[in-house]
């Protein structure tokens, strides 16, 4: 991903997410976004097939799985 | 019979034996631990919180039960009177779980202990405090801007590694014989390597993460640090068991690994991981792998395919899940985040969904390739870090002629393995660097922690690996 595309995407995605990027943070954010893009390119270079499902698989929850512990807000 | 200070520098098993046989009291051991922390933590900076009252109260309860001979079960507890500490992302009742973050310390104290703390205490151990880490576990150096850097006990000018840096440093400094940490991309194995301790990252799902501050739910693991393999095994055995509040926690029978440490290993098929794992290892890391391979008579070099892509998948999943987890605070108070990881969190919140889904698909593909390899081999060997501990503040590493950013590159050799949840025991090797230790990963197929601990124990018995207490001048 070239720098111009990365900057355009970061600014648009941050606006869509209502995530302000302060001017002093922007150069670092762009550096790391471009690094992530390079990593994503590496991942995309692997040929995968339909049976290669995502590793994160949901497990249904029944009533015995529900704990009583207080949850953090997130 | 050794005194409490000498026992503190030996092992959890030796302490439990001494407490059981009344050679020393649990209270003596707590005081010895607090004294060692007082004498050394001005240099090391491993602890962010001491639970002094709680530890003294718990030790007194243990001593009272033993004195009254009221509970015959108590004297058989495997960690009787053993002081331990936990990374400060574990919930401790009455203490705010800071997760290395400035933001979190404004939150109310935890109301419960995390289950792993409770399980260690049921085995007789005594919690003495909480330990420093990289903010929200996003780092490999424990250069925490809010709580200060944790220094390597074997050379305080060097980093301890991270993100569980306090957990490794406290064990290496002889402050406690046992600690707990977390490992998402290498955060047990990297500091264990740099501080010269043993560390166990169990199979993903083996130890429940309930009551700990999450980082990347897809990849988070918990595990122990110790100076002997027997102590790793005793603590691991005490912590096993499903907790349904953790969606990744898996129901499996408890495996008693401590009892099987001396079982034979001569029939095991052991392979050295080549290609990527050789290319990304510096000279001292390669020497450490060679030393372990020679000791185990492992002459085969084997390969996993596309390891760089697997590491990239771990990077993308981590970046995206970490950024999403903290999105609310990133929106309103980004300036309060750790400067060393804030921009990565911000970038991670912006990643396209397709990148993350593709990384999760590659993760499964890579796990299948590893499963195929384990049809033909029982244990894999690879270095834990590309090099021994760098100096504090190091920005760049040169590994075999490649100039790499230091902080993310310390996890180059650990990330591909935790991506697919394999169990790993990191063992400390000396003599490959002029003054510092470096770790080697022993890696097995899922759920085979017992096998890894056997191999590590026999390397320890042969004197190939060891975790001595650092010689630290009192402050």
């Amino acid at each position: 991903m070239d720098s111009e595309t990365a900057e355009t995407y970061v600014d648009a995605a941050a606006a869509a997410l209502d995530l302000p990027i302060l001017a002093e943070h922007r150069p670092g954010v762009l550096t790391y976004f471009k690094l992530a893009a390079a990593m994503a390119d590496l991942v995309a270079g692997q040929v995968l097939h339909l049976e290669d499902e995502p590793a994160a698989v949901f497990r249904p929850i029944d009533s015995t799985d529900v704990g009583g512990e207080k949850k953090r807000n997130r | 019979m050794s005194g409490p200070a000498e026992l503190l520098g030996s092992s959890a098993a030796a302490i439990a034996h001494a407490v059981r046989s009344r050679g020393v009291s649990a209270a003596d051991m707590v005081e010895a631990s607090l004294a060692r922390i007082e004498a050394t933590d001005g240099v090391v900076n491993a602890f962010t919180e001491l639970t002094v009252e709680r530890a003294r109260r718990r030790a007194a309860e243990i001593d009272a039960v033993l004195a009254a001979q009221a509970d015959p079960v108590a004297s058989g507890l495997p960690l009787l009177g053993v002081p331990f500490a936990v990374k400060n992302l574990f919930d401790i009742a009455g203490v705010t779980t800071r997760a290395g973050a400035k933001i979190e310390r404004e939150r109310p104290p935890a109301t419960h202990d995390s289950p792993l703390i409770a399980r260690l205490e049921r085995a007789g151990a005594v919690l003495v405090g909480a330990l420093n880490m990289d903010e929200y576990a996003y780092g490999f150096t424990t250069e925490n801007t809010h709580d200060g850097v944790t220094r390597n006990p074997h050379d305080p000018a060097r980093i301890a590694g991270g993100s569980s840096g306090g957990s490794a440093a406290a064990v290496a400094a002889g402050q406690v014989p046992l600690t707990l940490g977390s490992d998402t991309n290498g955060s047990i194995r990297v500091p264990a390597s740099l501080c010269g301790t043993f560390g166990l990252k169990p199979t993903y799902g083996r130890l429940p993460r309930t009551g700990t501050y999450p980082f990347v739910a897809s990849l988070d693991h918990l595990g122990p640090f110790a100076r002997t393999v027997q102590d790793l095994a005793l603590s691991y055995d005490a912590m096993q068991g499903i907790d349904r509040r953790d969606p990744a926690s898996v129901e499996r029978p408890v495996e008693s690994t401590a009892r099987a440490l001396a079982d034979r290993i001569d029939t095991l098929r052991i392979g050295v991981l080549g290609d990527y794992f050789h290319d990304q290892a510096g000279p001292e890391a390669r020497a450490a792998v060679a030393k372990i391979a020679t000791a185990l008579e492992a002459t085969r070099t084997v390969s996993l395919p596309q390891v760089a892509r697997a590491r990239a998948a771990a990077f993308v999943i981590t970046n995206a899940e970490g950024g999403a987890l903290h999105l609310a605070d990133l929106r309103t108070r980004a300036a309060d985040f750790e400067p060393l990881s804030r921009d990565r969190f911000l970038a991670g919140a912006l990643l396209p969904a397709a990148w993350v889904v593709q990384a999760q698909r590659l993760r499964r593909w890579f796990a299948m390739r590893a499963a195929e390899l384990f049809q033909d081999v029982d244990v894999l060997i690879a270095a834990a870090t590309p090099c021994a501990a760098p100096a504090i503040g190091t920005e760049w590493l040169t590994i075999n002629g490649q100039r790499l950013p230091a902080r993310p590159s310390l996890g180059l050799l650990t990330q591909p393995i935790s991506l697919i949840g394999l169990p790993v025991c990191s063992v400390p090797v000396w003599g490959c660097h002029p003054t510092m230790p470096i770790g080697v990963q022993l890696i097995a197929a899922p759920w085979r922690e017992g096998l890894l601990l056997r191999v590590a124990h026999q390397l320890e018995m042969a004197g190939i690996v060891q975790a001595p207490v650092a010689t630290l001048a009192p402050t």
Side-chain angles (χ1 to χ4, degrees), chain B residues 12-13 15-17 19-20 58 62 74 76-84 119-126 178 230-236 238-239:
Chain B
I15 292 168
H17 176 75
V19 172
R20 192 177 301 126
R58 173 75 181 137
I62 291 171
L77 296 175
L79 298 171
L80 194 63
V82 173
F84 77 104
R119 290 175 185 181
L120 287 182
E121 289 208 324
R122 279 203 293 275
V126 181
L178 177 67
Q230 185 186 21
D231 288 356
L232 280 189
L234 289 170
S235 60
Y236 171 66
M239 292 190 289

Side-chain angles (χ1 to χ4, degrees), chain B residues 199-232:
Chain B
L200 178 67
K201 185 204 76 62
T203 310
Y204 181 75
R206 191 53 157 122
L207 298 182
R209 305 163 304 177
T210 314
T212 60
Y213 200 104
F215 172 26
V216 180
S218 293
L219 304 175
D220 289 342
H221 306 66
L222 305 176
F225 294 79
R227 288 193 306 274
T228 72
V229 178
Q230 185 186 21
D231 288 356
L232 280 189

Side-chain angles (χ1 to χ4, degrees), chain B residues 44-57:
Chain B
V44 178
N45 193 35
F47 279 81
T48 54
E49 189 99 35
L50 290 173
T51 52
V52 176
E53 278 185 36
R54 171 186 170 136
R56 286 178 173 152
R57 188 170 62 244

Side-chain angles (χ1 to χ4, degrees), chain A residues 9 17-18 20 25 28 32 37 39-40 42-43 45-46 48-49 52-53 55 59 65 69 72 74, chain B residues 91 104 107 213 244-245 306 309 311-312 325 329 331 342-344 349-350 355 360-362 364-365:
Chain A
Y9 176 88
L17 276 173
D18 190 22
H25 301 163
Y32 285 113
M39 294 290 176
L42 261 179
V43 171
Q46 179 61 41
L48 296 171
H49 304 286
D52 295 315
E53 290 193 12
R59 192 179 69 183
D65 290 341
E69 204 155 288
R72 299 180 178 92
R74 267 291 177 272
Chain B
D91 285 351
E104 299 303 320
R107 303 196 200 279
Y213 200 104
R244 295 186 192 282
R245 293 167 295 180
Q306 305 297 344
R309 297 189 200 280
R311 189 248 173 174
L325 185 68
D329 285 328
R331 281 189 177 119
R342 176 196 55 229
D343 296 351
R344 270 186 289 166
L350 305 174
W355 292 1
Q360 287 283 12
R361 293 181 67 207
L362 187 129
R364 178 166 170 77
W365 178 88

